[in-house]
Amino acid sequence: MTNNPIYCAIDTSSIDKAVKIINEISPYVGGIKLGLEFFSSCGIEGVEKVAEHKLPLFLDFKLYDIPNTVKKSLKNILSYNPTYTTLHVSGGSRMLKECVDLKKELNSNTNLIGVTMLTSFDDDSINEIGISGTVNDNVNNLSVLALDCGMDGIVCSPMEIKKIKKTFGSKLKVIVPGIRNQTDNNDDQKRTLSAKKAIEFGADIIVVGRPITSAEAPGKAAEIFHQSIK
Ligand code: C5P
């Protein structure tokens, strides 16, 4: 186990590319996050191949469906023993509680992390899909629900870390994507911050994807991120 809070998002459809990047970055990251792009192409075999690297795994499938479907999918996911996995908090209390009960039943150590608002949303784009109020208010309300249901942590943007930590302290782990250092492209992330500031504000885990995986030398890019938070 490592204390390095950097999880690299390996968002690729190619297992060979994933393995190449992981080999280069493994000394500088605390874990590997695999999401839907990787899984929908490389499948469970890809997950097993990445698990061979013995780095902590974050399986980020952002489950959102009826409680029965989510619970049965989560059971499969927990069998891979990831350190973190994600569920949408907006799936509601029954879905979340059934998942928390399942984790207890299986004696699993996996941290169940609630996705509050995707970091690609801003106030205008949440209103567009019928959600009223600000991103900030919604992140707060969904975090209260996640805690009440017994979840271990939440995902939020760098902009919400301070407020979430002030309200919930160590009761909720805070996982933060949308990390960009000054010279990085923001891509589709609307609420970004540097790795150093995110850690200073209280992030427990920071997720860094394209600034590392799209760099000419991913190993060097990961090393720079690692140095920046020391
Ligand atoms: O490439 P980039 O650094 O933007 O990658 C961020 C990663 O974090 C992606 O894998 C994305 O799916 C994930 N993520 C996010 N916002 C959330 C939850 C997860 O960007 N709210």
Side-chain angles (χ1 to χ4, degrees), residues 9 11 33 60 62 117-119 155 177 180 189 207 209-211:
D11 294 324
K33 184 176 90 69
D60 181 21
K62 300 187 180 65
M117 292 266 106
L118 295 172
T119 45
V155 184
R180 294 293 184 271
Q189 298 286 12
V207 173
R210 287 161 290 182

Side-chain angles (χ1 to χ4, degrees), residues 18-140:
V19 167
K20 185 170 181 290
I21 294 174
I22 294 167
N23 283 334
E24 285 180 40
I25 67 173
S26 57
Y28 311 111
V29 298
I32 298 296
K33 184 176 90 69
L34 300 175
L36 290 174
E37 182 185 347
F38 180 84
F39 186 67
S40 57
S41 164
C42 307
I44 220 61
E45 274 173 38
V47 173
E48 284 169 351
K49 188 117 192 139
V50 169
E52 285 171 12
H53 288 80
K54 304 277 179 232
L55 280 164
L57 270 191
F58 178 171
L59 296 182
D60 181 21
F61 300 147
K62 300 187 180 65
L63 302 181
Y64 179 82
D65 209 314
I66 57 170
N68 181 57
T69 305
V70 168
K71 188 177 163 181
K72 288 189 171 145
S73 310
L74 180 67
K75 189 171 180 194
N76 295 334
I77 292 169
L78 294 183
S79 71
Y80 291 93
N81 215 8
T83 305
Y84 298 96
T85 196
T86 46
L87 319 163
H88 271 281
V89 180
S90 49
S93 60
R94 185 165 154 214
M95 184 195 100
L96 298 174
K97 279 182 189 156
E98 288 197 14
C99 289
V100 169
D101 289 346
L102 174 73
K103 171 184 156 162
K104 284 185 193 146
E105 239 171 69
L106 297 174
N107 259 323
S108 163
N109 288 323
T110 298
N111 289 285
L112 299 183
I113 303 299
V115 176
T116 54
M117 292 266 106
L118 295 172
T119 45
S120 50
F121 274 129
D122 59 15
D123 291 348
D124 289 338
S125 48
I126 62 165
N127 294 164
E128 190 182 79
I129 58 160
I131 298 176
S132 56
T134 63
V135 167
N136 235 297
D137 295 340
N138 281 284
V139 169
N140 196 61

